[in-house]
Amino acid sequence: MEIKLVLKDLNLYYGDFQALKNISLEIPKNQVTAFIGPSGCGKSTCLKTINRMNDLVENCRIEGLAAIDGEDIYSPQMDVTLLRKRVGMVFQTPNPFPMTLYDNIAYGPKIHGIRSKRQLDEIVEQSLRSAALWDEVKDRLKKSALGLSGGQQQRLCIARALAVEPEVILMDEPTSALDPISTLKIEDLMDDLRKKYTVIIVTHNMQQAARIADRTAFFLLGEIVEYTDTVEMFNRPKDERTERYITGRFG
């Protein structure tokens, strides 16, 4: 099993508050890894350390190691723009840009220097196909992305992330604002994405983690209580707190 990302003895502070405590994880390549746990337990905070989104938070301080393919993510030599190209992010609420579907997808490649219309056309089509959206929108690429349904907007945001050819895709509760049918489409999409990408998803939905994740980490109060194969965790949790959480008896 090839390891894509390593977090070792990672601590994160917001001022005096310690949000992450001694986080150590090895995240495999080409698998879906789920972060589960109650609200405020550090799942999303941990997710954002992987592409340095926490850099944008005032008084945020990080200790320990976060590495992608052996490269220290927080090294002074790490180009943050290139890191965020390698590690894409999809947020809880769909956030398409107020522009056409085509321009939403082409935006990232243009920033990274691609100007050829033919090449951009290919990227737009391939990204939308990879996000299982092409057949639904191919005749309306010049229309505003804001006219799409919520589920379509979220798949558009996934396509936008794929357009810059990332290696890792981070998803922070990507289906929490969607209806069951749209949720199922996103889950099917994640199943396909793992063939080419390393996917990490934060979810409150235990059934979703059980359905789509190869491995699952259970967070509680900024720490990892348990991290193991998803089937193992849901069938034979090693920690009583994990069992109480996944069976809904937590609290």
Side-chain angles (χ1 to χ4, degrees), residues 9-243:
D9 299 327
L10 191 75
N11 296 287
L12 183 143
Y13 302 84
Y14 295 126
D16 294 330
F17 173 70
Q18 186 171 2
L20 295 178
K21 304 169 186 175
N22 298 312
I23 301 295
S24 292
L25 286 173
E26 291 188 343
I27 296 174
K29 183 177 182 180
N30 296 121
Q31 290 193 11
V32 176
T33 299
F35 291 174
I36 64 171
S39 297
C41 67
K43 307 181 300 295
S44 294
T45 299
C46 186
L47 193 76
K48 291 171 185 173
T49 64
I50 298 170
N51 72 343
R52 292 183 54 167
M53 289 292 287
N54 290 311
D55 285 11
L56 307 174
V57 180
E58 194 175 354
N59 295 324
C60 179
R61 177 168 56 89
I62 292 175
E63 301 169 349
L65 176 70
I68 178 169
D69 291 334
E71 296 179 68
D72 184 350
I73 288 170
Y74 286 87
S75 163
Q77 286 73 45
M78 176 62 72
D79 184 318
V80 178
T81 301
L82 290 180
L83 172 68
R84 291 181 184 148
K85 180 179 184 293
R86 295 172 70 185
V87 184
M89 185 96 180
V90 178
F91 295 93
Q92 180 174 357
T93 303
N95 60 339
F97 300 145
M99 52 181 69
T100 67
L101 275 73
Y102 184 99
D103 288 337
N104 263 269
I105 306 299
Y107 183 85
K110 284 179 179 177
I111 283 180
H112 292 286
I114 295 176
R115 293 287 177 266
S116 161
K117 174 72 164 56
R118 180 187 58 79
Q119 196 173 356
L120 288 170
D121 287 349
E122 289 174 359
I123 290 170
V124 169
E125 179 173 347
Q126 185 54 51
S127 300
L128 288 169
R129 285 189 183 280
S130 296
L133 190 58
W134 173 254
D135 289 339
E136 296 173 42
V137 302
K138 62 185 177 184
D139 297 325
R140 51 195 290 199
L141 296 179
K142 297 302 180 183
K143 300 278 182 67
S144 170
L146 303 180
L148 297 178
S149 70
Q152 288 174 325
Q153 286 187 8
Q154 192 65 301
R155 280 183 286 149
L156 178 72
C157 292
I158 293 171
R160 190 174 66 198
L162 298 180
V164 295
E165 299 185 334
E167 301 161 32
V168 178
I169 303 171
L170 310 177
M171 297 187 171
D172 193 357
E173 296 189 60
T175 63
S176 65
L178 304 181
D179 62 80
I181 292 174
S182 297
T183 294
L184 187 60
K185 287 183 178 180
I186 299 285
E187 289 181 5
D188 287 344
L189 175 55
M190 281 189 271
D191 196 41
D192 285 336
L193 291 177
R194 86 178 86 209
K195 297 167 189 169
K196 188 174 178 182
Y197 308 96
T198 301
V199 180
I200 307 172
I201 176 173
V202 167
T203 181
H204 277 106
N205 186 324
M206 296 302 97
Q207 291 75 27
Q208 182 172 75
R211 284 192 298 265
I212 65 169
D214 299 286
R215 294 179 66 77
T216 297
F218 171 50
F219 285 73
L220 185 63
L221 299 174
E223 300 181 80
I224 291 180
V225 172
E226 193 166 339
Y227 175 53
T228 187
D229 176 85
T230 300
V231 174
E232 180 82 13
M233 180 178 288
F234 278 81
N235 290 333
R236 293 175 294 278
K238 294 183 175 62
D239 191 288
E240 182 188 351
R241 293 168 294 176
T242 310
E243 182 178 14

